[in-house]
Amino acid sequence: MKSPARKTPPVDRALAAAVKESKAPAISRAAAVLRLLGKSDLPLGLQTIARELGLVPSTCLYVLRALVAEELVSFDADTKRYALEAGILTLARQWLRRNQFPDQVQPVLDRVAEAFGVTMLGVQIVGLDHIIAVAVSRSGATIQLSTQVGSRFPALISATGRCIAAFGDYPEAELEARFHTLRWDEPPTFETWKQQVAETRAQGFGVDESSYISGVTVVAAPVWKRSGNPSHALVAIGISSALKRSGVAALGQALLAGARDLSGDWMGG
């Protein structure tokens, strides 16, 4: 979806708040450091990492040294900066080996991306916290929107968020509180968003036309791995003017068909 414009991240209030509120601070600090380094295009120094995460430098240094010892973070003695180390790939490889969704969803993403000239994502839903892109397919269209595997977004943002709200069992008060923390290019009111959530529930897929990113339409359909709340979603991202020509409704139906097939494979339907 959106790529960061800066080479080093701005103050990450979400990560800092997670560290502050965690009941397992040591684990939370280590995870926050890894996520911060993963979001940065450049290696970061101790003071920058500590400032971004709201940590005391001495505490931050302790966490970094532990991560270096585990070969999850590298340290350059010349520049005094830290970056992710190749050891992180071991963890990712184990996850990919156990998680079937990326392999199962890829043919669906490729087919829809080519048919409609869009960027396609398979995302995993982590409750109301966030969604993570676990599979990506790009069409041969001249204009493309770049999102990488591993990119994280707030759960309720854009078309996927409408699906989570429409098909998940969440109190309206909690949805509203999280809604007001979201950042949009053209933000809808909560009442308008609720109407769009109701439309999503009725038609089976969600649509965000230029609200999240101006000039961009996002369409999403939920996937179930088990009964209850959706576990994943299929997401299409395209230039609004191009999608008007190819048909948003047709794209939504294609996503819905793919999502139903994937849900059926998992749930025996």
Side-chain angles (χ1 to χ4, degrees), residues 171-219:
E172 182 175 314
E174 185 173 7
L175 294 176
E176 183 172 9
R178 289 178 180 263
F179 172 84
H180 289 304
T181 68
L182 302 176
R183 299 177 63 181
W184 315 71
D185 278 353
E186 300 176 17
T189 65
F190 182 66
E191 289 303 316
T192 297
W193 185 78
K194 282 202 305 180
Q195 293 174 5
Q196 294 166 345
V197 168
E199 292 170 1
T200 298
R201 189 179 299 111
Q203 66 190 6
F205 61 88
V207 179
D208 180 305
E209 188 171 351
S210 297
S211 292
Y212 178 44
I213 308 174
S214 183
V216 170
T217 292
V218 184
V219 184

Side-chain angles (χ1 to χ4, degrees), residues 251-266:
L251 174 57
Q253 290 300 323
L255 293 183
L256 191 55
R260 285 172 173 166
D261 287 344
L262 289 166
S263 299
D265 288 344
W266 270 331

Side-chain angles (χ1 to χ4, degrees), residues 47-59:
Q47 296 298 327
T48 299
I49 297 171
R51 183 178 66 251
E52 303 300 337
L53 300 180
L55 295 175
V56 175
S58 59
T59 300

Side-chain angles (χ1 to χ4, degrees), residues 46-87:
L46 169 63
Q47 296 298 327
T48 299
I49 297 171
R51 183 178 66 251
E52 303 300 337
L53 300 180
L55 295 175
V56 175
S58 59
T59 300
C60 188
L61 180 60
Y62 175 83
V63 173
L64 285 164
R65 284 176 174 171
L67 291 172
V68 169
E70 295 295 332
E71 300 181 346
L72 300 176
V73 169
S74 64
F75 174 65
D76 188 319
D78 293 328
T79 64
K80 309 296 183 185
R81 292 177 182 271
Y82 296 85
L84 290 184
E85 182 56 282

Side-chain angles (χ1 to χ4, degrees), residues 49-247:
I49 297 171
R51 183 178 66 251
E52 303 300 337
L53 300 180
L55 295 175
V56 175
S58 59
T59 300
C60 188
L61 180 60
Y62 175 83
V63 173
L64 285 164
R65 284 176 174 171
L67 291 172
V68 169
E70 295 295 332
E71 300 181 346
L72 300 176
V73 169
S74 64
F75 174 65
D76 188 319
D78 293 328
T79 64
K80 309 296 183 185
R81 292 177 182 271
Y82 296 85
L84 290 184
E85 182 56 282
I88 203 77
L89 294 176
T90 302
L91 300 178
R93 185 170 63 248
Q94 294 298 326
W95 179 85
L96 288 169
R97 185 178 300 168
R98 292 192 302 269
N99 194 303
Q100 299 177 352
F101 182 74
D103 289 337
Q104 291 176 328
V105 77
Q106 196 65 52
V108 179
L109 301 184
D110 293 343
R111 182 172 64 250
V112 178
E114 186 61 30
F116 290 89
V118 294
T119 295
M120 287 292 301
L121 306 179
V123 303
Q124 183 166 331
I125 300 169
V126 185
L128 286 180
D129 292 325
H130 51 263
I131 57 175
I132 304 173
V134 297
V136 177
S137 182
R138 299 177 179 85
S139 71
T142 303
I143 299 176
Q144 296 186 4
L145 298 164
S146 178
T147 297
Q148 306 299 321
V149 169
S151 297
R152 291 158 50 102
F153 307 96
L156 292 183
I157 202 68
S158 196
T160 312
R162 292 171 174 83
C163 290
I164 293 171
F167 300 105
D169 183 20
Y170 298 109
E172 182 175 314
E174 185 173 7
L175 294 176
E176 183 172 9
R178 289 178 180 263
F179 172 84
H180 289 304
T181 68
L182 302 176
R183 299 177 63 181
W184 315 71
D185 278 353
E186 300 176 17
T189 65
F190 182 66
E191 289 303 316
T192 297
W193 185 78
K194 282 202 305 180
Q195 293 174 5
Q196 294 166 345
V197 168
E199 292 170 1
T200 298
R201 189 179 299 111
Q203 66 190 6
F205 61 88
V207 179
D208 180 305
E209 188 171 351
S210 297
S211 292
Y212 178 44
I213 308 174
S214 183
V216 170
T217 292
V218 184
V219 184
V223 176
W224 279 264
K225 188 173 182 179
R226 60 186 67 83
S227 59
N229 296 332
S231 59
H232 298 77
L234 305 183
V235 185
I237 311 168
I239 304 302
S240 295
S241 57
L243 281 180
K244 284 182 179 178
R245 293 193 297 271
S246 59

